[in-house]
Amino acid sequence: MGRWLRVSAMAVDPEKAIVLWPSYFDLRVSREAGRKVPKKDSVEAPTASMLFEAVKSLGLDCILELDKAYPRFWYRHEGRVLVEPKLAKKELVTKVAASLKTVPRQKE
């Protein structure tokens, strides 16, 4: 079993959850390679932890899975966030992209 974190008392059903990968929001990833937001809304090198914080700031339940790899970049285990399906995926991605701009970058 992988490393994960759960936030909120309500459980997120992994089978029904919306999956968000850092590559969806990465300025360095092309649209063809998987970026889902326009360049003006993307950030450089977002992490799964940053996504987790952005989703939490929207008041949604989510699970952070740190050991997962985006299928297109199977060799980079950047993690992913599972989000309760309260919004349509496109709307969720747009709101998370806006929220990511305000999430502080973690020091490594």
Side-chain angles (χ1 to χ4, degrees):
M1 186 141 217
R3 299 180 327 179
W4 55 271
L5 297 170
R6 187 181 306 269
V7 69
S8 176
M10 227 170 120
V12 176
D13 182 0
E15 296 293 319
K16 296 178 181 172
I18 297 173
V19 178
L20 296 180
W21 299 95
S23 294
Y24 288 1
F25 308 93
D26 195 338
L27 185 63
R28 302 167 305 164
V29 173
S30 69
R31 284 285 198 152
E32 293 80 24
R35 182 171 39 86
K36 300 232 182 260
V37 298
K39 278 192 172 186
K40 67 179 179 61
D41 296 334
S42 55
V43 295
E44 191 168 337
T47 64
S49 298
M50 288 171 65
L51 283 181
F52 182 72
E53 293 301 322
V55 172
K56 279 194 328 186
S57 74
L58 296 173
L60 298 171
D61 292 333
C62 55
I63 299 172
L64 173 62
E65 296 181 320
L66 296 172
D67 63 336
K68 300 295 182 179
Y70 184 50
R72 185 161 302 223
F73 303 115
W74 55 269
Y75 47 88
R76 294 190 321 212
H77 291 271
E78 58 190 9
R80 69 181 183 183
V81 177
L82 303 178
V83 185
E84 63 177 326
K86 285 194 171 179
L87 303 169
K89 186 169 185 172
K90 186 174 183 173
E91 183 182 0
L92 177 64
V93 167
T94 302
K95 288 185 177 199
V96 169
S99 184
L100 263 179
K101 299 267 187 184
T102 64
V103 172
R105 188 165 292 277
Q106 297 172 348
K107 294 179 177 69
E108 299 193 21

